[in-house]
């Protein structure tokens, strides 16, 4: 009964619920990629020797990245949430929605590289650097096709 009333209300104000859903998805995506970037940045600083290598810290960063890579990210790429529809708010290109299979194939490659990174991050700076480079390659591969240069 309650569900029927909510549905009826939602139908009376077309677009309102969807607009909130779109804004939430965009904000959640930005948070997701900010977290990813923080952990990538921490590892990158170690791999470059900008900060001392610390196996335990490296493993923590790598675990965070692997955990993030398990998230069902397709749930954040909702219709109407792309740059063409939300200019200034997002760099996500509408081709993501048109080619979700291709997008998710790249996401899976990222997940595989993140699993290797999780296994190698604690094994020394050289191993970390190699595995981190592989993850970075999967980031770039997706950005090349699916992310605009600016908002
Ligand atoms: C990172 C990061 C990315 C990728 C990309 C790789 O650490 O934040 O977006 O790697 O720069 O080319």
């Amino acid at each position: 009964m309650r569900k029927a009333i909510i549905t009826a209300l939602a139908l009376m104000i077309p677009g309102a619920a969807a607009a909130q859903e779109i804004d939430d998805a965009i904000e959640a995506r930005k948070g997701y990629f900010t977290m990813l970037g923080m952990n990538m940045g921490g590892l990158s600083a170690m791999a470059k020797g900008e900060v001392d290598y610390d196996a335990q810290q490296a493993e923590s960063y790598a675990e965070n990245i692997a955990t993030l890579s398990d998230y069902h990210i397709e749930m954040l790429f909702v219709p109407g949430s792309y740059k063409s529809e939300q200019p200034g708010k997002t760099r996500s290109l509408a081709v993501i929605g048109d080619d979700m299979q291709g997008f998710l194939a790249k996401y899976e490659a990222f997940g595989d590289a993140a699993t290797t990174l999780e296994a190698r991050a604690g094994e020394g700076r050289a191993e970390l650097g190699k595995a981190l480079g592989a993850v970075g390659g999967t980031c770039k591969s997706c950005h090349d096709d699916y992310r605009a240069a600016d908002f």
Side-chain angles (χ1 to χ4, degrees):
M1 181 61 181
R2 174 177 295 212
K3 196 173 176 188
I5 291 169
I6 291 169
T7 303
L9 282 173
L11 289 172
M12 283 165 63
I13 38 169
Q20 186 63 55
E21 191 191 343
I22 288 166
D23 283 349
D24 285 352
I26 291 172
E27 285 308 304
R29 286 198 310 241
K30 286 184 182 168
Y32 176 93
F33 288 110
T34 298
M35 284 198 286
L36 205 45
M38 289 167 72
N39 289 283
M40 288 294 285
L43 287 178
S44 172
M46 272 191 215
K48 288 181 193 157
E50 293 167 0
V51 302
D52 289 342
Y53 175 79
D54 175 330
Q56 216 175 353
Q57 186 69 41
E59 280 178 346
S60 295
Y61 286 134
E63 278 174 21
N64 283 344
I65 291 166
T67 298
L68 287 167
S69 78
D70 280 338
Y71 195 86
H72 291 277
I73 203 163
E74 67 277 11
M75 294 167 71
L76 300 180
F77 289 89
V78 299
S81 72
Y82 300 106
K83 177 177 170 165
S84 51
E85 300 139 325
Q86 307 289 331
K89 288 192 187 176
T90 177
R91 284 177 287 178
S92 299
L93 293 170
V95 67
I96 294 169
D98 299 337
D99 179 30
M100 187 52 78
Q101 268 196 322
F103 178 74
L104 289 179
K106 298 208 171 200
Y107 188 59
E108 203 173 316
F110 159 64
D112 290 345
T115 300
T116 302
L117 176 66
E118 190 178 17
R120 299 277 181 270
E123 295 180 349
R125 200 179 134 208
E127 286 300 310
L128 164 65
K130 227 163 58 176
L132 186 65
V135 172
T138 65
C139 297
K140 182 178 188 305
S141 161
C142 200
H143 294 164
D144 286 348
D145 289 352
Y146 298 108
R147 187 180 76 168
D150 50 33
F151 289 81

